[in-house]
Amino acid sequence: MNASTAHPLKPLSSLLDDDHFHDECGVVGIFEHPEASNLAYLGLYALQHRGQEAAGVVSTDGQEFYNHRGMGRVADVFSAKDIKRLKGNRAIGHVRYSTTGDSVLRNTQPLVINYRHGALSLAHNGNLVNARELREELERAGSIFHTDMDTEVILHLAARVDGKDAGERLAAALSQAKGAYSIVALTETRLIGVRDPLGFRPLVLGRLVESGGYVLASETCALDLIGAEFVRDIEAGEMVIISEKGIESRRPFAPVGRRMCVFEYIYFARPDSNLDGINVYNARKRIGHELAKLYPKDADIVVPVPDSGVAAAMGYAEATGIPFELGLIRNHYVGRTFIQPAQSVRDFGVKVKLNAMPSVLKGKRVVLVDDSIVRGTTSAKIVNLVRDAGAREVHFLVSSPPTTGPCHYGINTPDRSHLIAAQHSEEQIRKLINADSLGYLTMDALYRAMGSRETGYCDACFSGDYPIFKEIGAEERQLRLIKEG
Amino acid sequence: MNASTAHPLKPLSSLLDDDHFHDECGVVGIFEHPEASNLAYLGLYALQHRGQEAAGVVSTDGQEFYNHRGMGRVADVFSAKDIKRLKGNRAIGHVRYSTTGDSVLRNTQPLVINYRHGALSLAHNGNLVNARELREELERAGSIFHTDMDTEVILHLAARVDGKDAGERLAAALSQAKGAYSIVALTETRLIGVRDPLGFRPLVLGRLVESGGYVLASETCALDLIGAEFVRDIEAGEMVIISEKGIESRRPFAPVGRRMCVFEYIYFARPDSNLDGINVYNARKRIGHELAKLYPKDADIVVPVPDSGVAAAMGYAEATGIPFELGLIRNHYVGRTFIQPAQSVRDFGVKVKLNAMPSVLKGKRVVLVDDSIVRGTTSAKIVNLVRDAGAREVHFLVSSPPTTGPCHYGINTPDRSHLIAAQHSEEQIRKLINADSLGYLTMDALYRAMGSRETGYCDACFSGDYPIFKEIGAEERQLRLIKEG
Amino acid sequence: MNASTAHPLKPLSSLLDDDHFHDECGVVGIFEHPEASNLAYLGLYALQHRGQEAAGVVSTDGQEFYNHRGMGRVADVFSAKDIKRLKGNRAIGHVRYSTTGDSVLRNTQPLVINYRHGALSLAHNGNLVNARELREELERAGSIFHTDMDTEVILHLAARVDGKDAGERLAAALSQAKGAYSIVALTETRLIGVRDPLGFRPLVLGRLVESGGYVLASETCALDLIGAEFVRDIEAGEMVIISEKGIESRRPFAPVGRRMCVFEYIYFARPDSNLDGINVYNARKRIGHELAKLYPKDADIVVPVPDSGVAAAMGYAEATGIPFELGLIRNHYVGRTFIQPAQSVRDFGVKVKLNAMPSVLKGKRVVLVDDSIVRGTTSAKIVNLVRDAGAREVHFLVSSPPTTGPCHYGINTPDRSHLIAAQHSEEQIRKLINADSLGYLTMDALYRAMGSRETGYCDACFSGDYPIFKEIGAEERQLRLIKEG
Amino acid sequence: MNASTAHPLKPLSSLLDDDHFHDECGVVGIFEHPEASNLAYLGLYALQHRGQEAAGVVSTDGQEFYNHRGMGRVADVFSAKDIKRLKGNRAIGHVRYSTTGDSVLRNTQPLVINYRHGALSLAHNGNLVNARELREELERAGSIFHTDMDTEVILHLAARVDGKDAGERLAAALSQAKGAYSIVALTETRLIGVRDPLGFRPLVLGRLVESGGYVLASETCALDLIGAEFVRDIEAGEMVIISEKGIESRRPFAPVGRRMCVFEYIYFARPDSNLDGINVYNARKRIGHELAKLYPKDADIVVPVPDSGVAAAMGYAEATGIPFELGLIRNHYVGRTFIQPAQSVRDFGVKVKLNAMPSVLKGKRVVLVDDSIVRGTTSAKIVNLVRDAGAREVHFLVSSPPTTGPCHYGINTPDRSHLIAAQHSEEQIRKLINADSLGYLTMDALYRAMGSRETGYCDACFSGDYPIFKEIGAEERQLRLIKEG
């Protein structure tokens, strides 16, 4: 065990940079199954698209807690021997993605601590917007921190509040936290699932029919793999406590109305998942239909930017009758990193993932469909690839509205100054990415595709309407937006 | 460097089991580029679909030879430091797939040896059918073997024959070998590419426009990634010798007529590659058109088994007008291995890769398109998944003729006794995989899709017409076929 | 970074088993040297005998803290690259030995935390006897623990107390701790060294002549290797604070009189170290002289049990004139573990380390000198080895008094029930180890060798006189002793 | 198994540099024991002093051969799992030391090959002086080489010669080799041991009393650890073949008279080993007695340079009556490498291993005893250390004659131009190492200590009398000596 973790430990000031607290993640929890850790591992396998940087599982037999975490993909982090060592009938798991320099073993989840009430383990998907303030307060009161993660802030709060059981303590801790969180927690006797009052991130409940056990997971695709039956979505603001007595549902927070992240449907979730009752693949196809209504092009073929643009491109082709073609082929074996030659290969960064086919594209008027434009540089390279392969025209359709603001609720987007749509007009963007035409989805069309706006979604990255800051009050929000703008 | 290779070293008898010499592979060669090893590495990256078990690169600066090989995917085997250590302007690389127990570091390529004429390195895609006999002869003459690979047999032959240069020696060695080989070889001063007289496996030549250098690769997709211009396919029976004087083409073998592997088009090659002038994606779509003519179904949706069935399914949908839908979602993050729970999850092996969507499939009459049926067990599980998701009917179309024989030329297929189509009628297979109907591509339809039968293809796995054995003589072939049957 | 730490996380009850808090360690600190982490690493190299299980270094450039820790020996834990990453002019380091199951990466030092006053890093040699109580109190107040180490208890205390600087806070924290500690601590601006009021464990101050910097280390041998000049021992109860302003000495604790561990001289420290002014090698030779006075044997040769018995045996030989011979040869390449055959080799455990030479021992009357007898089993095996090699008589002399009690102050000894001298008379022990005669050092002889008893030593493991418990009060001590007896 | 071996593969010319073929090694073989690989591993453990760079074991169950090799010490290379995988009742093992750049996994032993007669595994201690010629001849005949080792040359020869069994083939192969070799070899049914006609390197035979099996090992200390009984030394020019029928002794080479390496006694072998009937520790002590006769000094203390100077210093002290003191303490935890600070610490390279004690040396006239002076730089640093610690006079005695020539028979010494005694007079050396006086052992004194010159020793590194070259003929030797001089 020669493992080592040489890394700069940031002093307080640098730790509070907003970027550190952004992370996309997936969580899973298993209650009462003889192979709990194996099922948790498989759940993470199915949720791998939510984070490929690190993975971990904590299990318990009701007495001891067992822990295995590592950097990399689920398949690389766990061996059969590791799974075997993770004893007990209950387990929680976590996959994590992060682009910051603090991609270190120390910052992997689930965390597990010993405190006055025993042991508590926690895995968290989301982002606390007041993590900085809470951390400062806790440090003033004598808490010491070992990681940079929001998760540790929640654990410190839980160790200091009162409550007659772990559920109450976790609720009391979370009532001080503002932001997005879908959490699974494990104690000696309970598996707990919580979704923040606005329900930004998904969390579903499933049932292991044979063992009579329960599963919590970020998405339904995890239930499918382990053969669990979908029961229902955990609701915004709900806490479920699963113990030997069964499932108890609590409502520890004041109701404020659901604000599920709409970008989960557009890009982040797996197409075969159903989130709050809506199938992701079908939603994307309907978005394609809406794009067809908004931008009926006189074109020869519709080509998706794979994989996230596929379903919307299929929807567009279906609605317009223009043939759907795979003019860009994706290399699915691409690892997390590759070694780039010093001497530049033109558009290398995109070529490693995508190859354009002249035999499909040559001489064609092409409708290209992608999920979003963030910085614009990748989109420009993709348009170049398609033109180099001989396309006569390239019409770039985007299956989301312009991304004009960062996400504070758990998706890692750059700040406003790097968002092309926050800095440029659509016509400027069209020129910058060298497309013949450019069409974004409109907000109205988005919600037609989603069925209804009224269900309650967070679309802050498109609309600037940040639900938490509205709740906190205009003044404080002002403060933050100035800093970011 | 605590690496170790504990493994059973097979005594002679067990080494000669046919299975050992079957391997699917990809090769690449770079001549004269300041970052030769980095380009070789990127070429392997693009050829990763041809072998995920092991990868290696050998480079030379004209004096020393540098070598890095490892088990696993290209991205995992090489670090930036490894690439840096692989000095010199010339390099060859290899990716390998094998299902045998001898998946060990020792059996990775390229091999590099020292012999009386200096150093010689070799990477090989294909399979020698007389490797056993050659090896026995060589051992009788005093050769000693360190690996189980055909590649070492070729090197031993090259070390013993005469010839005025490395090209002549390699040709003399290969004239004793029977079977399939596309080879790249590296000496102190030359990069050599050879394709066997029948040209079973592909090999293409590209040009690095800026450096004026050359590239050899199994498929054109490798040229695309490193920004090399496609020059031409190496022809069946051709040897090209690339040196500082330029390219020399030789014809060391008696002409016997091209027999390119047709299964490369159906399944093995990447869709964005062009093999001997034919684009793979387009060929697969045309196969879909042929299936539509053969099996026009009264169905609601066409669903591919991803990824290899996608283009054929698109072709079928295009020709029939039945909507194309992604009713099966593939998990692209699946590693080479996963840890299976002891208590069985129904159809687990297939579920790890594929998830069926009720929201797409429920109540539908489904045309399912896959590239082939080998043992039949996987196909049966896939039909089950689709039915469990609510499909009303499942019509299974196969984008190749029935697989009735093993491949002796480099693709790893089980022997006849495990091939469902060698043992059962189509109606029996339909029942075994639980489909409402089953339709295979016909040989005639296959060659309509390929443009012409006359170009010369190997279709031995469908037709039983093994070109080498025909050449060798009916008698010897009989011998082998009895053994296998 | 695929490193992982699968291990049972003990719930509170099992964490409090006394054995967990026993650990022998070495510490080092460097202030103001451009290669601080390299010097810290070399200091640990010299202190390797104090702990071979784990090693770590934390450095700082005044802003960031850098951290590298690993399981194993110093030479295995650190690469040149690791050292390079440990930036800054100040560093502390730690080596650790432990025989418990919790020999995991998580439990390595130095620890580094973020708290309200910035960052604080700490490395600790010793053992707190009230760690259990402090931990319980801290958890009641909301602290959460990530490790099983006393060191974390001290950090939690420091995070909660007041004080105008890190020195005051550390002193306030330590004033609540009872037990043995020699500590080096690092903040953004200061290197701090503290020795507990009784000064159980050694700690010395050195000076880097060229850079004008300072060194703290467990033993003088660490100063010698890095070319530092010995300045003085840190005194019992003293705290030194090294900053850019120089060295400040504080006396934060009430004076109680020095009680330096006498076993450091007999066994634990390196012979070339000087502890509190006394050279270890010379002390051991004087102990040999005392043994000669107590037990003048009619023997042919004096043979040490290498390495710890060598100096005392030389002293005995010198005083008696009996020839000194190396009849037992030690294998210095022995690793921390070896793989034992299932089928037993007689006296295997001892043979791996020691080989007896018939050519020296055959027919001889042998005086065998070892440093101590703990469980007695090893001594019995050694006597056997010597007899099997042909010795006619074996007289076993021990360079310490009978070990009748465990150490609570940082040396890992088994509890009373496993100490042969706590359970048996000397004559019984002689029989059990199969010696012709047995002679222990007496307490009086020990202190004659040490120069004076008055200087103040802890000899609790021989005398039962536990300084801390005396201080705490007879009642509490009773409690503990019953539990242990 | 991500292990990789990036290294320059030397073309022929550079491979023939003499340095490559020098290596000090240890070998072991086990025949018929249920834990053969574990015993082989333990034998290597005991022989670790003969090579710390790499280790390997090959075992067989009579059908399959199993192989585990790695870089580093025995304890680091093998896990219990590795040992378990090395099945079968027979095994051979090898430890290797080398200072060349080719310290790579590829160059570790035992080698195992498949050839026409089955499998053959070989481990070799020594050096072939005609390896270059043999290799060239073999390559001309079509052999290809995968390693740089002499061992592979022997295997190639064995694969090409005739003979009715493996023993005859190995003998026929070795009859073409000139130089030093003590070999253990393993076939499906036999364990073979051979010592070259001059018997340069040791090889002993032992018996496993309980299992009735046999052991071959470089030194008797390996027999001691695994509890095997010493039977006898394998004689110069003898081959023993151990099979189920028992032991057969053959004399395949013409007798030329024994020339055992005398430096094994002075430095290389472990003190507890008996080589050809002489105990190493006693021989060293007798050398000390001889030094006392040659150089009776008026000194206060005798101090050895540990560990190899200890026994000779004890002998000197015993004979002169001058007290023996450990004034230099060796750090036994020193790994194979350490990270040196850029800013120099005076005499750092020596300080990492040795610390001088002022409390022993201050004001003293010191006789310092070391085994040899090679380049002189280390000796100079040691004298400096001793003077810096306060010694008044330093008299440097060497327990061997001046080293004036390199070894061609398996010990890694620099060439003549780097040997201080080949370039300078004794008085010049004394000045260079800054000693008050310098005394080398004489050849006559050496052989008085060894008992007799007539037994037959190789002392070429002292005398220039290279037995092989004498045998080969003056002319050829001339050739070589010019090259080296």
Side-chain angles (χ1 to χ4, degrees), chain D residues 57-351:
Chain D
V57 166
V58 165
S59 71
T60 186
D61 50 19
Q63 301 223 316
E64 310 272 327
F65 279 71
Y66 307 90
N67 180 9
H68 184 82
R69 303 181 298 176
M71 303 301 291
R73 295 189 175 176
V74 176
D76 298 328
V77 166
F78 293 91
S79 69
K81 211 171 145 192
D82 297 329
I83 294 293
K84 214 173 166 182
R85 270 195 236 123
L86 294 163
K87 296 177 195 167
N89 287 349
R90 299 140 198 186
I92 60 174
H94 190 265
V95 287
R96 176 190 168 128
Y97 174 77
S98 162
T99 57
T100 73
D102 285 341
S103 306
V104 291
L105 193 49
R106 185 171 52 98
N107 278 351
T108 53
Q109 302 192 33
L111 281 186
V112 52
I113 56 148
N114 290 301
Y115 74 136
R116 59 188 155 141
H117 301 289
L120 176 63
S121 183
L122 212 130
H124 165 232
N125 173 27
N127 181 47
L128 303 189
V129 298
N130 65 335
R132 182 208 324 226
E133 292 81 354
L134 292 172
R135 194 178 162 115
E136 281 171 352
E137 262 175 58
L138 283 163
E139 288 187 338
R140 270 194 297 276
S143 287
I144 57 183
F145 282 80
H146 294 251
T147 77
D148 305 339
M149 294 186 289
D150 291 11
T151 317
E152 197 183 358
V153 172
I154 300 169
L155 285 169
H156 273 288
L157 291 170
R160 285 170 176 269
V161 295
D162 288 322
K164 70 172 204 313
D165 62 20
E168 283 198 4
R169 284 188 289 273
L170 189 54
L174 289 170
S175 69
Q176 298 177 54
K178 291 189 186 309
Y181 49 84
S182 280
I183 286 173
V184 292
L186 194 65
T187 73
E188 285 85 350
T189 55
R190 293 176 170 89
L191 171 68
I192 301 173
V194 206
R195 219 169 146 192
D196 66 70
L198 294 158
F200 287 104
R201 298 284 145 227
L203 190 64
V204 300
L205 175 69
R207 196 172 163 74
L208 293 159
V209 185
E210 278 182 45
S211 76
Y214 289 94
V215 182
L216 292 169
S218 292
E219 297 183 27
T220 56
C221 63
L223 305 185
D224 296 340
L225 176 53
I226 61 182
E229 207 171 62
F230 172 73
V231 175
R232 63 179 179 83
D233 292 271
I234 303 303
E235 289 176 39
E238 182 184 9
M239 170 183 278
V240 292
I241 298 178
I242 306 174
S243 69
E244 289 190 351
K245 298 177 219 151
I247 296 188
E248 179 193 354
S249 171
R250 296 183 187 175
R251 293 287 179 170
F253 315 115
V256 285
R258 197 191 84 134
R259 295 300 291 271
M260 169 80 177
C261 168
V262 79
F263 200 61
E264 290 270 356
Y265 295 92
I266 294 167
Y267 167 78
F268 199 51
R270 239 173 74 166
D272 47 337
S273 285
N274 303 316
L275 305 180
D276 282 359
I278 298 176
N279 176 262
V280 172
Y281 169 77
N282 286 334
R284 287 180 193 167
K285 281 197 68 181
R286 286 195 302 269
I287 284 172
H289 299 162
E290 294 295 330
L291 283 172
K293 284 185 229 162
L294 293 166
Y295 309 106
K297 297 285 171 188
D298 198 13
D300 301 311
I301 53 175
V302 181
V303 170
V305 177
D307 288 344
S308 52
V310 170
M314 283 171 65
Y316 184 92
E318 201 172 79
T320 57
I322 306 172
F324 171 77
E325 290 281 0
L326 296 175
L328 287 164
I329 297 297
R330 181 165 179 176
N331 182 0
H332 280 112
Y333 297 104
V334 166
R336 282 168 32 83
T337 56
F338 50 82
I339 303 146
Q340 196 161 349
Q343 240 176 295
S344 71
V345 172
R346 189 172 135 93
D347 298 327
F348 177 80
V350 154
K351 268 188 182 163

Side-chain angles (χ1 to χ4, degrees), chain A residues 17-76:
Chain A
D17 178 22
D18 258 346
D19 264 338
H20 284 119
F21 302 108
H22 283 218
D23 46 334
E24 299 153 14
C25 303
V27 298
V28 68
I30 307 290
F31 190 84
E32 289 305 298
H33 189 280
E35 296 182 89
S37 61
N38 199 331
L39 296 193
Y41 152 87
L42 288 170
L44 297 182
Y45 219 97
L47 297 172
Q48 186 75 83
H49 63 289
R50 297 187 74 87
Q52 293 107 53
E53 190 194 67
V57 165
V58 164
S59 72
T60 186
D61 51 18
Q63 302 222 316
E64 309 272 327
F65 279 72
Y66 306 90
N67 180 9
H68 184 82
R69 301 180 300 174
M71 301 303 289
R73 294 189 177 176
V74 175
D76 298 329

Side-chain angles (χ1 to χ4, degrees), chain B residues 250-266:
Chain B
R250 295 183 188 175
R251 294 286 178 169
F253 314 112
V256 283
R258 195 191 87 133
R259 297 299 291 270
M260 169 79 177
C261 168
V262 78
F263 201 60
E264 289 270 356
Y265 294 92
I266 294 167

Side-chain angles (χ1 to χ4, degrees), chain C residues 247-322:
Chain C
I247 296 190
E248 179 193 353
S249 171
R250 296 183 188 173
R251 294 286 178 170
F253 314 114
V256 283
R258 196 191 86 133
R259 297 299 291 269
M260 170 79 177
C261 168
V262 79
F263 200 61
E264 290 271 356
Y265 295 92
I266 294 167
Y267 167 80
F268 200 51
R270 240 173 72 167
D272 48 336
S273 286
N274 304 315
L275 305 181
D276 283 358
I278 297 176
N279 176 262
V280 172
Y281 169 78
N282 286 334
R284 287 180 193 169
K285 281 198 65 181
R286 286 195 304 270
I287 284 171
H289 299 162
E290 294 296 329
L291 283 173
K293 282 187 233 163
L294 292 167
Y295 309 105
K297 296 285 170 187
D298 197 13
D300 302 311
I301 52 174
V302 180
V303 171
V305 177
D307 287 343
S308 51
V310 170
M314 284 172 64
Y316 184 91
E318 201 173 79
T320 58
I322 304 173

